[in-house]
Each structure stands twice: as structure tokens, then as C-alpha cells.
Amino acid sequence: MATKRVSGSEAVILSLLEEGVDTIWGYPGGAIMPIYDALYDYDQQVTHILTRHEQGAIHAAEGYARVTGKAGVCFATSGPGATNLITGLADAQIDSIPLVCITGQVASPLLGTDAFQESDVVGITMPVTKWNFQVTQAEEIPEAIAKAFHIATTGRPGPVLLDIAKDAQFAQFDFEYKKCTKIRSYLPEYPVDPFAVKDAAELIDAAKKPLLLFGHGVILGGAEAELKEFIEKTGIPAAWTLLGLSALPSDHPLNVGMLGMHGNYGPNIKTNEADLIIAVGMRFDDRVTGKVSAYAPNAKIIHLEIDPAEINKIIKADVAVLGNAKKSLRLLIDNVKPNKHEAWLNEFRECDKIEHEKVIDKDLYPTKPGLTMGEVVRIASEKTNGDAILVTDVGQQQMIASRYFKFKQSRSNVTSGGLGTMGYSLPAAMGAKIGRPDRTVFAMAGDGGFQMTIQELGTISQYGIDLKIIVLNNNFLGMVRQWQQLFFEKRYSFTELKNPDFVGIAKAYGLEAAKVTSRDQLADAIQKMLDHKGPYLLEVVVEKEDNVFPMVPAGASVSDILLEP
């Protein structure tokens, strides 16, 4: 490849183009200004979207990555610009989202002098990145960016941060780009051990009450087809973690629902009756296991996982199959015998009947006057025929939406899982819509989380991002209030909100908006929002004490799941 004499800042843009980057989210400032100046000449080759806050930029990059499978890219300046990325980095790290974040830094002679807007970005971000690196010489830029994309997108994905000193952005050098395909001492994934697969297959063939749990690793590994083929060959019921949602169509007959604290009754109860648990691309998060000492006491454990650090971390595996879920499942499919577990599956269906009577029918088809979150989710899902992308915030609406929104295709559920980041949905939905402009994208938030990143309405307006925003307003921090109601004697300590006029704010930003307060308005209001070309905000006033059930109390066994207060 021929070299070209360029500045370090232009090298950043040329390197990103070599990696196929088409969208950058960011916010300029002094220390990254040379990179923004170089970007000015490439606006026909890459789109930059100016967010209203750096946290908005990184969550948008996350949303883009979640729906496309490519690394999300964002820019920020030094000091507070860089530190405003921390929440998004931590979110992406725990949820395994590939990101490449580039921050400007003060000139290298000023490092360590407490210069204006200097912060130790590499030190601060080390615990919440898969890899980070400070660039002090322009010649380091191409190799650093190539490594960043390789590390971010291979193996268990994650966020990478490059901190580039200002003098390195100005300096000239002979640019040449080589994509990174291998790094010494970095092993992205292990080859699948055929002996481990054989041991797993023997346990699967012998099991009478097996249950498969699938998580985000299925989606990240592109293993959706293999998951479906495996459960159809073996007849094993399959339950999903929050981040596994949409890997398997909602209406698949072997899909038995969501695991965990607010998951479905059947998968939680039956976990402790199963004689075999097959965990695929999930990490046995505490929200899934409940009380670890009481988790799956009768079951052998098979764990298919790409990251060896997750094996035996929470739940001891009888058989561990290290490697990419797509490859592991393919080998398992070839080694297991065809089977059916109809009687066992029917036990889940009986649990479904109980849950419908006690919880689901009341959530989705309420007879009480006030609107429920569940009926809003049901109507939005029905009117988009299960084809929409749903981006949720954190809290009650996240759990309700995950329980009741239906999906036909993968990479359709975007939410903050491990970190539980309020304010996530609005910017992440921007990224999802830019990444998949062909699909309807809902941003669904509670009134608390929505106000944490409400300023991104300005970004949505400026770029005409066609989002359908639903704010479920109960004038409370609903999930905290629910815990206060159930476990703290209704001592509602600082959870009630005096909210602004959300419709008025949306209109001030130039968005169409409407408010729903009664059931007879709801279906037509959602349809009107969907028919509108362009961004639209719909505020729905729901019951103040509309709780999310079922619920596994903190520290309890999954067998102790509550169906009602």
C-alpha cells in the first residue's frame, strides 16, 4: 500500500474509513479539535452526529453496535468530555458491546501537569474497557486504531478507548494502514474441545428434565440458527436472559420465557426441578440465579461460554465448553440424539396458565380504570407485528416491555443489562435507528430515566431521526417505589417526581407529541404516532402503583418467586 503524508488527525479519519466506519457520534472540544477539523473534509464519506452530551454519544454508539453487529464509534474531548463517557464504557464492558472511543488529550509535554481539561483518562477508564491506550506520537495512530477494532470486535466484544495527545494530532507522518488480524498473547476465542462436546452430549441425551438458558452470547456469536436447530432436535425448553431476548422468536413453541427476578413463573420454578441446565452465552448473573446456594440443586450444569473467566465464577459447571457459541452448538447438534420432552414442556405450559390468571391477563387486559404499562407495550407490539426494534430504559418499563413485547428477529431488543443505566433508551434508540433505518424503532422510558438524557431530543430534532418515543409516566421512580412499597412499609423516600410538561418540551425541540390519559385514547394515539413521518413523542400516564410481577425477592431462591404482593 502506498504511503501518504498526512497529519495525525487526518490519519484518524482515514483509519476509521479503512475499517468501514460510516457513523461517528461525538461532541467537539479543544483537545480533539484537530480531529474535528480533519473530519470537515470527509463529511461525504462518513456521517458525524453531534449529540447534546457525551453520555448520549456513547449510548448512541452502543445502540448502533447492538443492532448492526459492528463496532460503534464515538469522539469526545479531554477532561470532562472524556469522563462523561465513563458510564457508557462501564455499560458496554459489562454487556459486551464493541465500541471504539477516541478522546482528545492535552499535548504530551503537558501530561501530568494538571493542565486545563487534563485528566488521566487511561487510568480512569482502565477498569471499564477491554483495552485502552494513550497515543503520544502521530506514527502510532494507524496501528492503534487497527488494534482497537480487532480487540473490540473479536472474542467477547467490549469497549476500547484511544486517548490521543493534541501534538500527535498535529504532527505529520507517512500514513499507511494495515488491518489487524492477530495480536501476540491475545487469544479471542478458544478452539472448541471435542471431548467436552462429547461429555456434554452424553449428559443431554440422558437428561429427563433439561432446560436451556440462552443469553447475549448467542446474538454476539451469530448463533441464532444453531440455537433453534439444537432445541428443535432435542426438544429442550429454552429460556432467555434479558440480553438474550430476541435471539429466538417469541412465538417459538420451545421458547418458555424470561429468567430472573421479574421473569416468567415457569422458567424460574422449573430451574430448581431440572436435572440438567445448559447455559449458552450467559454468565449466571445474580438477577438470574437469585440465592446461589439454592440454585438448580438437582441439575448437572453444562456451560457454553467464550470467556474462560465466566466458567465456575458463579455456578460450578460439570462440563464447560469453551468457545464461540455458534461453533459449540454446531458440534453439539452433530453429537446429540433426536429427542422430545413433551411431558416436561407441558409442565411449563401449566405454569403459563397460572401466570396468565394471576398476572399477565391483568397486565395486558386490565379492567381497572387506570392504564397499565403492560397494555401500552402490548398495543405497541401488536401494531408493529413484532417487527420493531425496542430500546428500553431501566426500571419497571424495562421489565414489563421485556416480558410482553414480541419479537420475530434477532438484534431487536436493546437495553442496559448488567449496569442498569437510567437514561439509556433515548440515545441508544438514536443509534439503533441510524444503524437500522429500515425498521421501526421504539424508545421506551419511564419518566425518571427519560429526564436523565432528555436533551437528546435536540439531536433527534436536528437530524430528523425517526424515533417513536413512549414515556410511561407514573410520576415516580417506579422500580425503587415498588421495593419501598413491598419491603420498606411504603416509606416512599425521595421517589416521587414533580414532572414537567413532556409534550411541551418535545414541541419546543420541534418534535410532534401527544399525551394519553385514558384507555379509549391509547390505541389510536399509538397508531397516529406510527403513521407520522418523523420523530414523535407519546406520553402515557399510567397508574402510580402499577407493580411488576412475578418477582423474586432479593436474596431469595428462584423457587420463591412471588406472583402477587
Side-chain angles (χ1 to χ4, degrees):
M1 179 180 175
T3 60
K4 175 185 178 184
R5 190 122 186 118
V6 300
S7 67
S9 55
E10 187 175 4
V12 170
I13 309 304
L14 291 173
S15 299
L16 294 177
L17 291 174
E18 289 281 351
E19 291 290 343
V21 173
D22 54 27
T23 306
I24 299 166
W25 307 83
Y27 204 96
I32 200 170
M33 205 175 296
I35 292 175
Y36 270 90
D37 184 67
L39 183 61
Y40 190 84
D41 294 325
Y42 290 89
D43 64 342
Q44 299 301 309
Q45 290 150 274
V46 63
T47 298
H48 178 277
I49 295 178
L50 172 65
T51 57
R52 296 304 182 265
H53 193 285
E54 291 87 356
Q55 186 178 347
I58 194 167
H59 289 329
E62 286 187 271
Y64 176 93
R66 291 282 295 271
V67 301
T68 64
K70 301 192 293 184
V73 177
C74 68
F75 287 172
T77 195
S78 63
T83 59
N84 281 342
L85 298 179
I86 302 299
T87 298
L89 289 169
D91 191 277
Q93 174 82 336
I94 199 167
D95 283 353
S96 305
I97 311 301
L99 298 180
V100 174
C101 302
I102 294 175
T103 55
Q105 182 55 277
V106 300
S108 53
L110 295 175
L111 289 171
T113 68
D114 293 331
F116 178 67
Q117 290 193 334
E118 182 197 359
S119 59
D120 179 9
V121 175
V122 170
I124 293 168
T125 62
M126 191 174 291
V128 290
T129 51
K130 189 176 177 184
W131 179 64
N132 66 9
F133 181 70
Q134 187 169 73
V135 176
T136 57
Q137 297 181 43
E139 292 83 359
E140 298 174 316
I141 288 171
E143 183 180 1
I145 290 179
K147 280 186 177 180
F149 276 89
H150 180 63
I151 292 169
T153 59
T154 54
R156 181 177 179 173
V160 168
L161 182 136
L162 297 178
D163 189 45
I164 306 179
K166 196 169 185 179
D167 51 330
Q169 298 174 42
F170 279 121
Q172 299 277 320
F173 74 108
D174 293 327
F175 174 81
E176 182 180 0
Y177 196 80
K178 294 178 182 177
K179 285 199 175 186
C180 180
T181 57
K182 187 177 181 181
I183 300 172
R184 186 178 177 181
S185 79
Y186 171 59
L187 183 64
E189 61 182 71
Y190 288 75
V192 182
D193 181 356
F195 294 103
V197 171
K198 184 176 180 294
D199 291 344
E202 288 176 358
L203 287 178
I204 291 165
D205 290 340
K208 302 299 181 186
K209 292 186 173 184
L211 176 60
L212 186 143
L213 319 179
F214 62 93
H216 200 195
V218 171
I219 296 172
L220 294 171
E224 296 92 341
E226 287 76 12
L227 172 69
K228 183 171 177 285
E229 186 178 348
F230 175 79
I231 63 172
E232 288 175 351
K233 182 175 182 179
T234 59
I236 296 175
W240 37 271
T241 70
L242 182 64
L243 295 186
L245 177 55
S246 84
L248 186 69
S250 300
D251 60 359
H252 192 284
L254 290 169
N255 187 336
V256 294
M258 181 165 75
L259 297 159
M261 180 171 281
H262 290 290
N264 293 106
Y265 184 55
N268 279 295
I269 289 289
K270 297 301 173 184
T271 290
N272 283 5
E273 297 177 22
D275 61 4
L276 179 67
I277 297 290
I278 308 161
V280 185
M282 55 87 73
R283 57 189 180 84
F284 290 108
D285 174 76
D286 62 289
R287 286 298 194 262
V288 165
T289 63
K291 186 178 181 181
V292 171
S293 62
Y295 183 77
N298 304 310
K300 297 283 189 181
I301 307 291
I302 298 170
H303 197 175
L304 278 62
E305 173 59 48
I306 199 167
D307 185 353
E310 296 296 343
I311 300 294
N312 299 325
K313 187 173 83 174
I314 308 294
I315 300 295
K316 186 179 184 303
D318 293 279
V319 177
V321 183
L322 274 173
N324 177 286
K326 187 178 184 74
K327 297 173 184 176
S328 301
L329 283 172
R330 171 47 53 200
L331 288 172
L332 265 183
I333 291 164
D334 295 339
N335 279 272
V336 294
K337 297 173 183 176
N339 205 343
K340 290 187 177 179
H341 295 278
E342 291 179 348
W344 173 234
L345 183 61
N346 284 337
E347 292 186 33
F348 288 85
R349 299 309 174 208
E350 291 302 313
C351 289
D352 287 346
K353 292 177 184 177
I354 295 169
E355 187 176 347
H356 266 274
E357 179 185 347
K358 296 276 190 181
V359 180
I360 296 174
D361 292 342
K362 295 174 183 177
D363 280 347
L364 300 186
Y365 304 98
T367 55
K368 52 190 176 184
L371 286 165
T372 65
M373 294 175 283
E375 63 185 312
V376 181
V377 172
R378 172 182 62 82
I379 293 170
S381 180
E382 288 173 353
K383 286 188 176 293
T384 50
N385 198 29
D387 287 324
I389 292 172
L390 176 69
V391 187
T392 51
D393 220 274
V394 169
Q396 287 184 315
Q397 42 72 39
Q398 177 190 36
M399 294 294 101
I400 288 286
S402 300
R403 285 173 53 78
Y404 298 132
F405 207 89
K406 304 304 178 186
F407 299 99
K408 291 182 178 178
Q409 55 183 306
S410 187
R411 294 192 178 274
S412 296
N413 173 59
V414 178
T415 196
S416 172
L419 197 65
T421 305
M422 289 180 70
Y424 178 87
S425 64
L426 194 62
M430 298 190 309
K433 184 62 181 180
I434 294 297
R436 289 300 306 269
D438 55 314
R439 297 184 65 190
T440 298
V441 177
F442 286 109
M444 188 170 289
D447 46 314
F450 179 62
Q451 290 180 83
M452 289 194 171
T453 50
I454 195 171
Q455 69 273 13
E456 297 307 332
L457 291 175
T459 309
I460 292 164
S461 176
Q462 180 170 343
Y463 295 94
I465 302 172
D466 188 9
L467 282 184
K468 309 309 176 190
I469 305 159
I470 298 177
V471 180
L472 297 174
N473 183 5
N474 57 12
N475 291 285
F476 265 109
L477 300 176
M479 187 62 84
V480 183
R481 184 213 52 76
Q482 178 171 334
W483 280 56
Q484 289 174 335
Q485 177 186 343
L486 298 177
F487 307 117
F488 291 88
E489 300 176 338
K490 291 191 176 183
R491 290 161 58 87
Y492 295 152
S493 178
F494 301 101
T495 46
E496 189 164 10
L497 295 171
K498 178 174 171 50
N499 286 322
D501 177 0
F502 291 124
V503 170
I505 290 173
K507 289 185 174 180
Y509 275 110
L511 276 64
E512 289 296 315
K515 183 175 182 176
V516 169
T517 57
S518 64
R519 185 163 292 121
D520 60 344
Q521 303 170 316
L522 182 60
D524 287 345
I526 290 175
Q527 188 61 57
K528 183 178 179 182
M529 174 178 64
L530 290 168
D531 290 341
H532 177 75
K533 305 301 181 187
Y536 194 105
L537 182 143
L538 182 65
E539 177 190 356
V540 183
V541 179
V542 296
E543 284 198 340
K544 277 195 169 190
E545 295 191 355
D546 185 10
N547 288 332
V548 185
F549 283 97
M551 180 178 186
V552 179
S557 164
V558 290
S559 297
D560 298 327
I561 188 168
L562 303 174
L563 289 171
E564 50 196 4

